[in-house]
Amino acid sequence: MAEVLCSRCGRHAPGLDEPPLAGARGATVVARVCAACWGEWVEESKLLINHHGIEVADPQQRQRLYPIMAEYLKIPGL
Ligand SMILES: [Zn+2]
């Protein structure tokens, strides 16, 4: 597992083995977010999905998560 300089926690830490999202967004996350922070986001996103009643199978509704994710991971415009 390669190390990344994580945007969120600012540490050099083990990254993800493979992109957790499709396309350029997934490539950015692999390059800039450590596995631990990604795991924390996954837990956070579950709460958000429940709280807001977001249907993640629906691409349009899933879009609502991305700005929150960008802020959470400290990657503007992710
Ligand atoms: Zn991190």
Side-chain angles (χ1 to χ4, degrees), residues 29-75:
V29 168
V30 164
R32 296 183 59 183
V33 179
C34 75
C37 285
W38 181 256
E40 288 177 31
W41 162 250
V42 168
E43 292 305 310
E44 177 77 11
S45 68
K46 286 179 192 166
L47 297 177
L48 290 165
I49 286 162
N50 282 332
H51 183 73
H52 295 291
I54 294 171
E55 185 58 63
V56 289
D58 179 338
Q60 278 197 318
Q61 293 202 28
R62 206 160 58 220
Q63 294 284 340
R64 293 166 60 193
L65 280 174
Y66 294 145
I68 306 168
M69 180 171 73
E71 190 170 334
Y72 190 88
L73 298 175
K74 301 194 171 119
I75 303 175

Side-chain angles (χ1 to χ4, degrees), residues 11-26:
R11 292 177 303 182
H12 286 280
L16 297 161
D17 286 326
E18 49 190 55
L21 302 165
R25 191 176 272 121

Side-chain angles (χ1 to χ4, degrees), residues 1-22:
M1 195 183 278
E3 287 213 337
V4 297
L5 175 56
C6 178
S7 290
R8 176 162 182 264
C9 65
R11 292 177 303 182
H12 286 280
L16 297 161
D17 286 326
E18 49 190 55
L21 302 165

